[in-house]
Amino acid sequence: MQLDDHVAKLFAEYEHERSSLGELQERMRALSASATSPRREVTVTVGQSGVLTDLQFPTGAYKRMPPAELSAVILRTFLEAKDSVLAKAAEILAPIVPAGIDPAKLARGEAGVDMFLPEEGPRMTSEVRSMLGLTPDQP
């Protein structure tokens, strides 16, 4: 294979990956989930990352509720919708995240930097350990 052909192939692969990433971003931006309370007092809709996008009262049932009870119902319904949209995000991310990374934790923002690093730190020569003031048994 000539160099020009190889470069063209690499560029085509790059363009394909870039397009796929754009599609993934669009799918993530379009995420939405709704939940309705069991007695239909409230319907909550959330977008990507669980951001509240709509709050509706499909019936007049909320009018007969004490404020504290209504607040609790709204909060439970919101959390149900948020859990749903984050589960959808994890499904979208699952095929592209590296092995060993939990897509649900990534979607929920619970993926710490340590999730992307190897469990064992880099090996250091004794000279580097000495310069850093580390003993041989320290990582």
Side-chain angles (χ1 to χ4, degrees):
M1 180 185 290
Q2 292 182 338
L3 183 59
D4 289 345
D5 292 339
H6 185 64
V7 170
K9 182 180 176 184
L10 288 175
F11 187 73
E13 289 175 12
Y14 165 77
E15 286 296 321
H16 175 73
E17 291 297 321
R18 185 174 177 186
S19 173
S20 295
L21 183 57
E23 291 169 13
L24 173 78
Q25 288 174 323
E26 193 57 40
R27 287 177 62 200
M28 292 294 285
R29 273 193 290 273
L31 280 176
S32 178
S34 294
T36 301
S37 60
R39 295 187 315 197
R40 299 187 37 79
E41 300 96 343
V42 64
T43 297
V44 177
T45 302
V46 297
Q48 178 189 17
S49 302
V51 175
L52 180 68
T53 59
D54 193 25
L55 180 65
Q56 296 183 5
F57 300 93
T59 67
Y62 72 95
K63 294 176 184 178
R64 296 180 297 278
M65 299 175 74
E69 184 182 347
L70 178 59
S71 293
V73 167
I74 291 171
L75 184 57
R76 277 194 308 271
T77 308
F78 167 76
L79 292 174
E80 182 182 335
K82 183 177 176 183
D83 285 346
S84 179
V85 81
L86 293 175
K88 289 178 183 180
E91 286 176 19
I92 291 171
L93 293 172
I96 65 160
V97 297
I101 295 182
D102 183 347
K105 283 186 175 183
L106 189 59
R108 292 181 180 283
E110 298 170 356
V113 171
D114 58 327
M115 186 178 261
F116 300 97
L117 300 174
E119 286 184 31
E120 218 176 276
R123 304 238 184 257
M124 290 186 258
T125 64
S126 57
E127 291 84 10
V128 172
R129 286 184 176 285
S130 176
M131 286 173 46
L132 296 174
L134 299 174
T135 61
D137 60 334
Q138 288 178 304

